[in-house]
Amino acid sequence: SRGINAEYGGSVVEQIGVWMEDTYGVTLVAERPRKGELWHSDVIKLAVEHEKEGLIGLLYLDFYTSDKKKSPPCNHVIRSRTAKQLPVSVIECNYTPSNGYRPPHLNINTFEKLFQELGAAVHS
């Protein structure tokens, strides 16, 4: 939705964000992380906001491949919703960064998996 600027995955997440906003009144808003909050400079922090309830959670997008990631896209619930704390989730993918000219292509299976994991993250 608003302000997601990622070399890879950003436009897909933006389109999913538009659908979520139209369907559920939920907006994904890029946030500036605090110093030391992210484990890698490529990770994107998103606030998950509901049109009536306000901030309802935080979501981190970790798109790119690394030696520590071996799995397909998955959602890690870091903290579940409680009366006093917002839920926090991480979408972890194993995508190859772009070659500098254009982002890599997401095939339909990869898109569906990312869509599924984003839905699970926002639901949690």
Side-chain angles (χ1 to χ4, degrees):
S1 198
R2 296 179 280 154
I4 301 169
N5 183 16
E7 168 187 300
Y8 182 59
S11 61
V12 170
V13 174
E14 286 175 0
Q15 293 307 308
I16 292 171
V18 168
W19 176 81
M20 289 172 57
E21 187 170 4
D22 291 346
T23 306
Y24 300 110
V26 172
T27 306
L28 303 176
V29 181
E31 273 200 358
R32 176 165 290 163
R34 295 183 312 265
K35 184 177 181 180
E37 180 177 5
L38 303 180
W39 51 97
H40 194 278
S41 61
D42 290 333
V43 174
I44 300 166
K45 178 183 179 182
L46 300 175
V48 182
E49 298 179 355
H50 186 269
E51 62 189 2
K52 294 180 182 172
E53 298 176 35
L55 182 64
I56 59 171
L58 295 173
L59 177 61
Y60 295 87
L61 304 177
D62 187 359
F63 286 128
Y64 301 110
T65 188
S66 76
D67 293 338
K68 296 179 182 180
K69 293 190 231 174
K70 305 294 183 206
S71 65
C74 58
N75 171 41
H76 302 284
V77 177
I78 305 303
R79 183 174 62 212
S80 297
R81 178 181 289 274
T82 67
K84 296 182 181 185
Q85 294 185 327
L86 293 172
V88 177
S89 288
V90 174
I91 300 294
E92 183 180 275
C93 303
N94 208 3
Y95 303 146
T96 303
S98 81
N99 61 12
Y101 297 103
R102 64 184 180 129
H105 177 72
L106 278 177
N107 66 39
I108 190 64
N109 294 332
T110 305
F111 172 80
E112 286 176 352
K113 183 65 175 165
L114 178 58
F115 185 82
Q116 175 186 0
E117 296 305 330
L118 279 167
V122 172
H123 186 314
S124 62

